[in-house]
Amino acid sequence: DEDKPLSGYTALVTAGPTHEPVDPVRYLANRSSGTQGYAIATALAQAGATVTLVSGPTTLPDPPGVTTIRVETARDMLDACQQALPCDIAICAAAVADWHVAPSAQKIKKTADSTPPVLHLVPNPDILATLSQPSPNRPRLVIGFAAETEHVLAHATAKRLRKGCDWMVANDVSPATGIMGGRENEIILIDNAGSAHWPRLDKLQVAHRLVARIAAFLHPAQAK
Ligand code: C5P
């Protein structure tokens, strides 16, 4: 049906930052708001898909009609994603922390000689790369995001190949663009055939347009 082009399809979306605990009261994090990922989850659900949103800590309400699973760390995010498989479509919009630390069981105290503590960073799993790996459970369409501040197309094209995903949504997050944490986004959509530069749009409009593109990919015969 035209209104619900994704009915019968299942989708997994990651969104938001992750929080990586340092001790019982501190964590490492980043400034992702979750806005674009939540907009995509909402648009997928409006198009009829059954959507699981795996979200790091955000201030946004659960999107209507979406199963939202709240997690804190990258490792918890990966576990929740793997529990949401199999699915047809996976969209990794989360700003996953690249590292975690082995957290201290007690609050880290200042020492008498004020030697600062040293945090040993341990790499986090790459959720997008993991979901993209060939496997019987691999979603038919895996989409990643590449936030860049220069050479956006070149860096994002390389990232698509490195991660093994099907499409990459690239954007310029230089502070002057106002995109990170803002309402609008301007993206380049990269697939195996090339790239398309979209106009600057509200993040909800970017989501609807991406969902239309997904529907056209999944059933090209019905594409108008
Ligand atoms: O390598 P980079 O973080 O720039 O890649 C961004 C893309 O990879 C995004 O789609 C992001 O959600 C995903 N990613 C991930 N797990 C990580 C790091 C990034 O899923 N640990």
Side-chain angles (χ1 to χ4, degrees), residues 6-194:
L6 293 182
S7 59
Y9 287 93
T10 51
L12 164 66
V13 179
T14 70
T18 64
H19 285 187
E20 309 295 334
V22 171
D23 68 18
V25 298
R26 302 185 177 99
Y27 56 84
L28 302 174
N30 63 67
R31 294 186 192 284
S32 168
S33 66
T35 308
Q36 186 63 79
Y38 277 56
I40 291 168
T42 303
L44 287 165
Q46 283 172 5
T50 301
V51 184
T52 301
L53 171 64
V54 179
S55 175
T58 72
T59 58
L60 302 173
D62 292 3
V66 168
T67 301
T68 303
I69 299 169
R70 302 272 177 176
V71 297
E72 246 190 82
T73 68
R75 288 154 294 155
D76 293 344
M77 186 173 274
L78 176 61
D79 285 348
C81 288
Q82 282 173 328
Q83 282 176 39
L85 297 180
C87 67
D88 299 305
I89 307 152
I91 304 182
C92 293
V96 183
D98 291 316
W99 303 282
H100 67 274
V101 298
S104 160
Q106 304 302 329
K107 186 180 171 193
I108 299 171
K109 305 296 286 177
K110 282 170 285 203
T111 53
D113 65 355
S114 52
T115 310
V118 175
L119 298 181
H120 291 281
L121 301 178
V122 182
N124 272 331
D126 191 312
I127 297 165
L128 174 60
T130 304
L131 295 176
S132 297
Q133 273 166 16
S135 105
N137 262 349
R138 188 192 189 281
R140 263 179 76 186
L141 183 59
V142 182
I143 306 175
F145 276 70
E148 307 289 347
T149 57
E150 59 173 0
H151 310 300
V152 176
L153 181 58
H155 284 164
T157 299
K159 193 169 284 184
R160 189 183 80 83
L161 296 172
R162 199 163 64 236
K163 303 269 188 172
C165 60
D166 302 300
W167 298 357
M168 190 56 94
V169 177
N171 57 7
D172 185 340
V173 294
S174 305
T177 65
I179 285 172
M180 196 123 194
R183 285 195 43 208
E184 293 180 337
N185 203 354
E186 186 176 332
I187 68 139
I188 304 173
L189 183 64
I190 303 166
D191 65 12
N192 61 341

